[in-house]
Amino acid sequence: MKILFAASEVAPFAKTGGLADVAGSLPIALASLGHDVRVVMPRYRQVNPAAFGLRHIAEFSVPLGAWKERCDVFQGTLGKNVIVYFIGKDIFYDRPELYGTTNADYPDNAERFIFFSRAIPELCRNLNFTPHVIHCNDWQTALAPLYLKKIYQNNKELRRAKSIFTVHNLGYQGLFPKEDLRLTGFGWDLFTHEGIEFWDKINFLKAGLVYSDIITTVSETYSREIQTAEYGYGLEGVLTKRSADLYGIINGIDYLVYDPAHDRTLPKTFSPIRLSGKHYCKQTLQAAVGLPESNVPSLGMVTRLVDQKGLDILVGALPEIMTLDIQMTILGTGDKKYHDLLTEAAGRYQNRMRIILQYNDQMAKNIYAGCDMFLMPSRYEPCGLGQMIALRYGTVPIVRKTGGLADTIAAYNPKTGLGTGLLFEEYSASALARCLQHANTLYQERKAWKRLMQNGMKQDFSWEHSAREYVKIYRKALKKSD
């Protein structure tokens, strides 16, 4: 099967979040199953051709409104053999960041990603690549299924291609003034409730939901949640209408990258049957962040500091959490209010709490390996990768029962010894505090805690399983009639 995977960010080339991790791993897993997988993304400033061994292979024009814009195409490689095409247009992508500054999105993001979405089918046409499936991801590529349906339906390279659209986070939709419709090349007949109109704006993500052949999202629970008013962000009606074409497939992680038994970036390696190295990792983390060396439970978070990640209930629960004999290390950046609140709290609880306002891959790895517990109190979580990484490193997830967290973490049962973590359901500071109190008590039962750690380390959330599920979805799409 020929698959074109379209994403606005792909690790290791450019990354702001989990989409890049998925786009950097899933195509490799699909290729390992024997498929011809190619990736397309913008060539941002940080994608240096020399550093990544790119070569210029083509240039062509992309329609944009009433005119055409030239673009360059560079080719590189992801993994061993996945071809990556980079759409180069300096006026759009040669910028310090991918989507905007810390203060605001770039004001021409509509134009930037209309151009990218239209470049996706134009790439196929100009390179004579005839994909069976074009797999689009999030709002930045969401116009591509619409272009396939309305403009390229008779094109020889694309007339049989089916579109898959994956929602990684429904909260980000690509909403723009209706005047930007002129840039798409479409008429006002699409600016309707059944089309891409949304509260008198154009909604890029809605285009993907309405016009793709199949919709996927990144966990089964999240696929159900987004059909409700609580999680649907105004699009629950669209999603309910397309429920027969909506599937949830959990993401995976790279088990070669996240492997405590062979990870030489750790102070010491360890495995489910040889856990002593984890204790050394804990001591090293305590020394690195300036917390006292102690065998009290060490609680870690690697997260964006925003409401979605449960920071509001965490801040509310901190006074009660800090009455426990526990240490906490938080790594991440986000909203200034949480920078200030957590910095103030770390000063107040200076012997038991650290906040590191940055994103640092090595420090993240040290937290996953060196903590006893990993906290994810998310308001909603489409999939989540942190809990899977934590399991791999024997760090017990403490999570809210929502989205992918509900699908990947099984509640520990002390009677059977089964389960991989601890969960709470009510979104409140008190529920979070109670769950951590329970975790603190369970930690004192050393045999039970060791079993819980080992249960988690034996889980398999590798990409191969997810890739096979996507192949099933692609085959369903290919059987659909136009």
Side-chain angles (χ1 to χ4, degrees):
M1 192 184 310
K2 294 181 179 180
I3 302 160
L4 181 64
F5 195 94
S8 60
E9 55 183 82
V10 180
F13 306 108
K15 174 180 174 177
T16 66
L19 168 60
D21 294 317
V22 174
S25 300
L26 178 54
I28 294 173
L30 290 166
S32 73
L33 298 178
H35 302 285
D36 179 357
V37 187
R38 307 184 190 190
V39 177
V40 59
M41 67 173 289
R43 191 186 78 79
Y44 301 105
R45 179 180 296 178
Q46 53 264 64
V47 186
N48 183 286
F52 287 106
L54 311 186
R55 59 189 180 92
H56 185 275
I57 62 166
E59 61 179 49
F60 55 79
S61 294
V62 177
L64 189 66
W67 65 96
K68 292 185 177 182
E69 292 281 355
R70 301 286 292 178
C71 75
D72 294 287
V73 181
F74 297 82
Q75 182 174 313
T77 305
L78 179 66
K80 293 181 180 178
N81 57 0
V82 174
I83 292 172
V84 184
Y85 299 118
F86 298 87
I87 302 298
K89 184 70 177 175
D90 285 353
I91 194 172
F92 290 147
Y93 308 123
D94 185 16
R95 303 185 186 186
E97 303 296 337
L98 273 58
Y99 311 122
T101 66
T102 54
N103 297 320
D105 291 345
Y106 291 130
D108 61 343
N109 272 351
E111 189 172 3
R112 298 173 74 224
F113 292 104
I114 289 169
F115 181 84
F116 180 54
S117 287
R118 187 67 187 267
I120 293 166
E122 284 296 318
L123 176 83
C124 299
R125 194 177 67 82
N126 282 274
L127 297 186
N128 294 313
F129 178 56
T130 55
H132 297 98
V133 168
I134 299 180
H135 187 160
C136 300
N137 294 268
D138 275 353
W139 70 263
Q140 296 91 341
T141 62
L143 292 180
L146 174 55
Y147 283 122
L148 287 177
K149 281 281 193 296
K150 298 292 185 180
I151 293 179
Y152 295 89
Q153 69 270 37
N154 295 319
N155 179 271
K156 67 177 182 178
E157 288 87 6
L158 295 166
R159 63 190 176 201
R160 299 184 190 281
K162 299 297 183 181
S163 60
I164 309 298
F165 181 63
T166 297
V167 179
H168 295 265
N169 189 331
L170 194 70
Y172 299 92
Q173 298 184 4
L175 291 172
F176 297 101
K178 61 186 177 184
E179 290 75 17
D180 287 328
L181 183 65
R182 64 183 178 84
L183 299 171
T184 67
F186 295 117
W188 289 101
D189 57 309
L190 288 179
F191 193 71
T192 66
H193 182 69
E194 291 74 28
I196 63 174
E197 183 271 340
F198 187 81
W199 295 99
D200 207 38
K201 293 184 177 183
I202 54 174
N203 186 322
F204 282 29
L205 187 132
K206 187 181 177 187
L209 299 182
V210 172
Y211 293 99
S212 60
D213 291 295
I214 285 183
I215 305 163
T216 71
T217 191
V218 288
S219 70
E220 288 186 24
T221 296
Y222 191 60
S223 73
R224 295 189 297 270
E225 288 177 341
I226 59 177
Q227 296 179 63
T228 69
E230 183 178 359
Y231 296 98
Y233 283 90
L235 292 173
E236 59 272 12
V238 177
L239 289 155
T240 301
K241 188 174 180 180
R242 294 218 58 196
S243 60
D245 296 318
L246 174 59
Y247 299 86
I249 301 175
I250 202 77
N251 287 332
I253 59 171
D254 188 332
Y255 272 40
L256 296 178
V257 173
Y258 299 108
D259 180 6
H262 300 95
D263 188 344
R264 299 302 173 188
T265 69
L266 299 182
K268 265 191 183 176
T269 57
F270 57 93
S271 68
I273 58 173
R274 187 175 52 82
L275 286 168
S276 59
K278 184 167 177 64
H279 181 68
Y280 186 79
C281 289
K282 180 176 180 175
Q283 293 176 320
T284 305
L285 175 66
Q286 289 169 327
V289 301
L291 286 170
E293 183 178 322
S294 170
N295 199 33
V296 302
S298 176
L299 177 66
M301 291 182 75
V302 178
T303 185
R304 286 184 292 117
L305 305 179
V306 296
D307 287 345
Q308 183 218 321
K309 298 298 183 179
L311 268 293
D312 54 343
I313 62 171
L314 172 67
V315 169
L318 270 178
E320 194 166 352
I321 294 171
M322 287 295 129
T323 64
L324 304 173
D325 199 12
I326 199 168
Q327 292 180 348
M328 175 183 285
T329 303
I330 303 173
L331 173 70
T333 61
D335 293 345
K336 184 179 183 300
K337 67 176 180 179
Y338 291 124
H339 287 207
D340 295 342
L341 286 167
L342 292 172
T343 299
E344 187 275 331
R348 196 181 335 133
Y349 306 113
Q350 55 185 302
N351 287 325
R352 293 198 284 138
M353 181 178 173
R354 290 291 181 272
I355 172 71
I356 305 166
L357 296 174
Q358 58 177 264
Y359 188 79
N360 179 303
D361 281 326
Q362 186 56 54
M363 178 56 73
K365 190 78 73 71
N366 291 344
I367 288 173
Y368 285 119
C371 286
D372 301 298
M373 308 169 187
F374 191 80
L375 180 61
M376 295 181 73
S378 304
R379 181 185 296 272
Y380 70 94
E381 192 66 58
C383 177
L385 299 178
Q387 80 279 17
M388 300 182 204
I389 301 170
L391 289 171
R392 183 76 164 147
Y393 284 85
T395 302
V396 176
I398 314 296
V399 305
R400 180 164 175 261
K401 190 176 181 180
T402 184
L405 302 177
D407 289 349
T408 54
I409 304 302
Y412 178 69
N413 184 331
K415 293 181 180 178
T416 64
L418 301 177
T420 56
L422 300 176
L423 297 89
F424 65 100
E425 193 159 355
E426 177 186 289
Y427 189 74
S428 69
S430 58
L432 167 57
R434 285 194 301 272
C435 192
L436 283 173
Q437 288 169 349
H438 176 45
N440 190 44
T441 300
L442 184 61
Y443 180 81
Q444 313 309 321
E445 301 174 26
R446 301 309 301 160
K447 286 186 179 179
W449 191 263
K450 182 178 179 181
R451 173 181 267 190
L452 183 53
M453 291 169 60
Q454 291 172 326
N455 289 351
M457 296 180 79
K458 293 173 184 176
Q459 299 301 299
D460 182 2
F461 290 107
S462 59
W463 269 112
E464 182 179 345
H465 173 74
S466 300
R468 292 186 186 280
E469 292 301 307
Y470 274 108
V471 171
K472 292 178 185 177
I473 295 298
Y474 298 159
R475 297 199 190 283
K476 284 180 185 289
L478 291 173
K479 291 178 182 178
K480 289 173 70 75
S481 58
D482 293 324

